[in-house]
Each structure stands twice: as structure tokens, then as C-alpha cells.
Amino acid sequence: MAVQSIRDDAFRKYGRVVSGLNCAQLLSRLKKTPCPPDATVYVASDPELEKLDIFGELQNREFGGLPIELGYCNGSNDKLNALEYHRSSEINIAGTELILLLGCLQDVSTAFTYDTGRVEAFLVPAGTAVELYATTLHFAPCSTSPEGFRDAIILPRGTNLPLEAKPAAQGEDALLFAKNKWMIAHPESGLQADGAFVGLQGKNTRV
């Protein structure tokens, strides 16, 4: 599929490039986090990353003082597998070059299905920070090299942690997979074994 730039106008409905952040310490520390060669790993909150100066700047500047978590998603990936969304923006700071596969929540049907043919791919250069809006469907980044990818993830604190109670699986509630995380999986992903709602229709988009 065609891979677009986050500087293109096509990216504007999904998010924006965040400028003015001093990411040097974070990028250096991110290099020391695990990066599996044949899988992905996600850590919602990393205590070492949250000790860095940028943590307070992100909390106060990008989230208006709300408590946040700073973690990472690293590894190797070339498939869509699922799409998720939150009730909040998400900040990604690319430790390496990576590709984001994105869609619009507004294109999810009333039956909570989504046509994967609508997904668009965007290249994020290493060291770049982007905000993904709450209405942006996204999931794990994709690699651009055999070395895999590293991506710092910033969200309101508690996001993606296990649910303490899950509502009855009716309507959108069926998509609630973790705290502040609604997810639609592809039938080829295997995520249904973990209780994910299957609603992605079409090819399991591959980069």
C-alpha cells in the first residue's frame, strides 16, 4: 500500500506533528528498552521513562495537567491485526522510523464493523512526536527495517490497563477491551481468544 508522510494534508484528520519537545533523553533511554525481533511488546507505564524531564512537560503541556503514563511499544510488525481508539488523544514519539496504519472512528458502521480498505499508512521519522486524535483508529506500529521499531506512547494514566469490571457486551460496550481502550480485531489476528470483538472486514492490511 502507499505510505504517505505525516507532513501531507491527508494526515491532518488523524493528528498533528508535535513540535518544541526536547526528546533527546527519552530517545536515548528508549534505545535500552526491549525490542523483540519477531513480536511486539507494550508497556503502558515505564518508571525509568517517567523519571525523565520530558514527563512533566508532556503532562502539563500536552495533557493540560492531567495525570499521564509514559511507556513504549517496541518490536517487529507488518500487519494491521486490529484497530483501537481511546476517549483521549495519544502522543507517539518515534524512537526509530516507523509506519502508522490509521483510520477514522466516523467510518465504523453502526454494527461496529470497519472496512480495512479505508486504512491509510503514514511514515513517522525517527525522533518525531505526533498526536493522534481520540477519533483516530490505530494499533501497533509497523517496522521499516529488520531491526524493528521503538515507539514511546503517552496516554492518560490508567489507559490500557486491565478492566476492573466490564459492562454487558451490548453495542459499543462489546468493544471495550481494557481501560480507555475500545478495540476492533481482524479475524486473522487471533485476538478473539483474548476476548476481542471481531469486526474488521477485508484484508488484514500488510505493509
Side-chain angles (χ1 to χ4, degrees):
M1 64 186 308
V3 179
Q4 304 172 80
S5 168
I6 53 171
R7 305 288 180 180
D8 293 343
D9 284 344
F11 182 69
R12 294 180 62 189
K13 64 183 177 183
Y14 300 116
R16 67 182 180 96
V17 177
V18 179
S19 60
L21 294 173
N22 185 352
C23 300
Q25 280 186 322
L26 174 60
L27 296 173
S28 177
R29 181 64 186 83
L30 198 59
K31 291 179 182 178
K32 301 176 183 178
T33 54
C35 187
D38 54 1
T40 60
V41 59
Y42 173 71
V43 173
S45 175
D46 183 288
E48 294 303 313
L49 296 182
E50 291 177 356
K51 290 177 183 177
L52 302 176
D53 293 341
I54 196 173
F55 182 75
E57 184 178 3
L58 287 164
Q59 179 167 285
N60 294 324
R61 175 181 160 190
E62 300 302 329
F63 287 87
L66 288 176
I68 63 168
E69 60 193 26
L70 171 53
Y72 58 84
C73 182
N74 297 345
S76 180
N77 180 47
D78 65 357
K79 289 184 179 179
L80 178 65
N81 288 325
L83 287 167
E84 67 180 30
Y85 59 95
H86 314 293
R87 295 286 195 249
S88 57
S89 287
E90 171 179 314
I91 302 290
N92 285 238
I93 302 177
T96 63
E97 182 182 79
L98 54 86
I99 293 172
L100 295 176
L101 298 178
L102 306 177
C104 287
L105 180 58
Q106 294 89 338
D107 292 327
V108 174
S109 76
T110 55
F112 300 102
T113 61
Y114 179 85
D115 177 6
T116 61
R118 293 179 174 271
V119 168
E120 295 187 271
F122 292 90
L123 182 69
V124 184
T128 306
V130 295
E131 175 186 355
L132 300 181
Y133 300 142
T135 52
T136 296
L137 304 174
H138 60 282
F139 202 54
C142 291
S143 321
T144 63
S145 75
E147 288 72 35
F149 67 86
R150 284 185 166 87
D151 190 22
I153 309 289
I154 304 96
L155 282 158
R157 184 157 292 277
T159 299
N160 289 327
L161 296 184
L163 292 166
E164 295 167 6
K166 185 170 182 176
Q170 298 178 358
E172 189 189 28
D173 291 343
L175 280 59
L176 188 59
F177 189 75
K179 290 184 177 180
N180 193 27
K181 177 191 182 92
W182 288 260
M183 186 168 73
I184 306 173
H186 193 277
E188 296 177 3
S189 69
L191 290 166
Q192 56 268 43
D194 297 323
F197 175 86
V198 175
L200 294 189
Q201 299 178 340
K203 293 182 179 180
N204 190 10
T205 306
R206 192 167 193 164
V207 174

